[in-house]
Amino acid sequence: MRAPGGPLAALAAAVLQPGFVGVTPPPWVCRWLGEGLGSVVLFARNVVDHAQVAALTAALRAERPDIIVAIDEEAGDVTRIESRRGSSRPGNFALGAVDDPELTERVARDLGADLASLGVTLDYAPDADVNSNPANPVIGVRAFGADPALVARHTAAWVRGLQAGGVAACAKHFPGHGDTRVDSHHDLPLITGDRDRLDSVELAPFRAAVAAGAQAVMTGHLLVPALDPELPATLSSRILGGLLRDELGFSGVVVTDAVEMRAVADRYGFAGAAVRALAAGADAICIGGERAGEADARELRDAIVAAVVSGELPEERLAEAAKRVGQLAEWTVAARSGGPARRGLPADASEVGLAAARRALRVTAAPGGAAALPLAAPAYVVEFEPPRNIAIGAETPWGVGAPLAEMLPGTATRRYAEDDVPVDPTAGADGRPVVLVVRDLHRHPWMRSAVTRALAARPDAVVVELGVPELVTGAVHVATHGATRAAGRAAAELLAG
């Protein structure tokens, strides 16, 4: 089918990776697949269960057999394929805490095989950021850790495992989103390190990802003056071309983080950011987390065509980008045909994921505190809910109370946000064992105050940290290194004995 506007419009469509609304392919996506569109990205809103996702991707593939079906599945706190029940794997930070690259590779291969069986061919993962700033509001447990060498070896292991499972890996957020206090969904983060610091910290995991054969790299909307004092990485030819291509030797697909994110859209416009990214060396434009209609995709396609016609975007650059996307599509077709055989749909839980989550638990006990475990009776669980990290789905469950109640019937759970936490959060315990569940306790003053009050009332309470365990407190402290379903179950098993 000939695209509206001819071959140039088809090239423009080829470099887009749009999202859409619905659990079946909307008519406009099917139509566009015949007009040059080569990729789509799935979000939690597109997922009901495994059977539905498999049917969705089959319908897409019926329109275009080599379509790239992407998803943002980190298999940790950020999950799309298990957004309604929580990830059955522990996440990067837990894998980094275990620090067994072979385990990381097994977990990623397990995920890759699951995604491949559902028809997904590109995963916007692993997160290769070094979480060197504990105050980081958007990375945290999404990273393997704060040590560059550790993050590098696990990034490489994750890439190898995922791609051995049959799905292309996409290391993110280049050149590194770890050392920031700003979330690029809301504003433009500034990375202040000099070039030596960037080489030794931020860039180390991306070098490892390239060496491991990652098929894609996702840009971060980050201002890094040591590399480019004017343009964010997504729009910088110095960073995408000079650094990623020439210095690091990456030859795969460069995917942008979502171009509707305010870090770039507020400054350069939705369409302006997409055009500038392509001109700078990006090959694929991710859209659709917030702007997921045909009109949004058309706005970008038409803007790309207009930029070529005006000379703002060289046609050769657009053709090069489309060619790289096509090469990735060829890789995914070969991976689907030659990948490990897996019959049927994935199980509801991952055995290797739960085993990894158990290994990631760390218990710190004051003298005499260890006697509090296992709990002697059904517990009173108090879960403190921080403001939501926008990268994590609002629908994704978390916590320890629910799995603990399955193991210790009679367990009660109360969850408090900042505005509704009582003076004594343990007041309803009535003599039962108390478990205080926190996420990134060190980042939230109100939560620290509430936990201090709770421990004053019940010094025997067990504190379970589901985030970064920067602040260890209480007679018994359990760190899970993530808030996934697997992490919550592993913690509940420990508490219940």
Side-chain angles (χ1 to χ4, degrees):
M1 182 182 298
R2 184 176 176 82
L8 194 56
L11 280 179
V15 302
L16 299 180
Q17 293 191 344
F20 57 86
V21 176
V23 296
T24 58
W28 75 267
V29 168
C30 296
R31 186 174 67 255
W32 278 53
L33 289 172
E35 297 173 353
L37 182 67
S39 312
V40 296
V41 55
L42 304 183
F43 293 88
R45 63 176 176 242
N46 306 118
V47 176
V48 175
D49 56 32
H50 291 329
Q52 170 268 325
V53 174
L56 169 62
T57 61
L60 291 167
R61 203 154 275 113
E63 299 290 338
R64 178 165 184 158
D66 67 344
I67 183 176
I68 296 170
V69 180
I71 200 166
D72 187 11
E73 177 57 55
E74 297 178 11
D77 286 22
V78 176
T79 179
R80 309 302 180 220
I81 210 69
E82 296 186 285
S83 64
R84 300 188 182 205
R85 61 187 178 191
S87 177
S88 58
R89 298 170 181 87
N92 284 3
F93 199 61
L95 294 171
V98 177
D99 196 13
D100 178 352
E102 291 184 1
L103 175 66
T104 295
E105 190 167 340
R106 288 199 302 275
V107 169
R109 186 185 304 115
D110 183 59
L111 172 68
D114 276 0
L115 292 178
S117 72
L118 299 177
V120 173
T121 56
L122 170 64
D123 188 8
Y124 294 153
D127 189 312
D129 300 311
V130 180
N131 195 57
S132 53
N133 186 343
N136 195 312
V138 70
I139 303 301
V141 297
R142 299 169 65 193
F144 288 108
D147 176 69
L150 179 147
V151 176
R153 61 179 171 265
H154 287 276
T155 294
W158 218 95
V159 167
R160 290 193 300 267
L162 186 75
Q163 296 189 167
V167 173
C170 180
K172 64 186 182 187
H173 305 82
F174 187 81
H177 204 320
D179 189 13
T180 175
R181 290 175 176 263
V182 174
D183 181 349
S184 53
H185 290 87
H186 303 299
D187 205 347
L188 181 63
L190 175 67
I191 307 298
T192 58
D194 61 20
R195 182 57 200 265
D196 288 343
R197 149 78 189 216
L198 294 170
D199 281 334
S200 62
V201 179
E202 278 78 7
L203 296 177
F206 291 99
R207 287 196 180 91
V210 171
Q215 290 294 311
V217 168
M218 176 174 279
T219 68
H221 303 323
L222 312 162
L223 186 63
V224 191
L227 302 175
D228 189 326
E230 297 177 356
L231 293 171
T234 298
L235 314 182
S236 170
S237 60
R238 296 184 189 181
I239 294 175
L240 301 187
L243 177 58
L244 182 57
R245 295 289 187 202
D246 298 340
E247 290 190 41
L248 272 61
F250 179 64
S251 59
V253 169
V254 176
V255 184
T256 70
D257 208 345
V259 291
E260 67 263 41
M261 290 167 62
R262 295 183 63 181
V264 291
D266 279 3
R267 289 164 174 78
Y268 304 96
F270 176 54
V275 169
R276 285 171 175 261
L278 288 167
D283 305 304
I285 305 297
C286 173
I287 56 173
E290 299 171 22
R291 302 189 60 167
E294 181 178 12
D296 301 305
R298 184 185 298 113
E299 180 180 346
L300 294 193
R301 185 188 65 186
D302 292 351
I304 292 167
V305 170
V308 173
V309 172
S310 71
E312 179 184 359
L313 174 64
E315 185 172 354
E316 295 79 10
R317 169 79 273 274
L318 179 61
E320 176 188 53
K323 180 180 179 180
R324 286 205 184 100
V325 172
Q327 290 170 338
L328 176 59
E330 292 173 2
W331 185 96
T332 65
V333 170
R336 281 179 58 79
S337 61
R342 186 158 190 158
R343 295 182 181 178
L345 298 175
D348 289 338
S350 165
E351 292 183 10
V352 67
L354 181 56
R358 289 167 177 154
R359 288 181 62 183
L361 295 177
R362 297 292 182 269
V363 179
T364 304
L373 295 180
L375 302 177
Y380 189 78
V381 180
V382 182
E383 297 177 342
F384 297 99
E385 183 169 20
R388 186 172 70 88
N389 178 332
I390 198 170
I392 300 171
E395 74 286 346
T396 303
W398 61 274
V400 174
L404 186 60
E406 295 178 7
M407 301 173 200
L408 293 178
T411 291
T413 302
R414 300 289 182 270
R415 181 171 289 184
Y416 298 115
E418 179 177 7
D419 293 339
D420 58 14
V421 62
V423 173
D424 180 5
T426 72
D430 297 328
R432 287 175 288 181
V434 171
V435 179
L436 307 174
V437 182
V438 298
R439 295 179 78 171
D440 290 343
L441 181 63
H442 65 288
R443 291 203 303 111
H444 305 289
W446 71 268
M447 193 184 296
R448 293 198 300 274
S449 177
V451 168
T452 298
R453 297 195 306 272
L455 289 174
R458 288 294 300 268
D460 61 328
V462 177
V463 178
V464 179
E465 170 64 84
L466 303 183
V468 177
E470 188 75 11
L471 176 60
V472 176
T473 188
V476 178
H477 183 277
V478 179
T480 65
H481 303 92
T484 68
R485 175 164 54 106
R489 178 173 178 82
E493 289 176 347
L494 176 68
L495 294 170

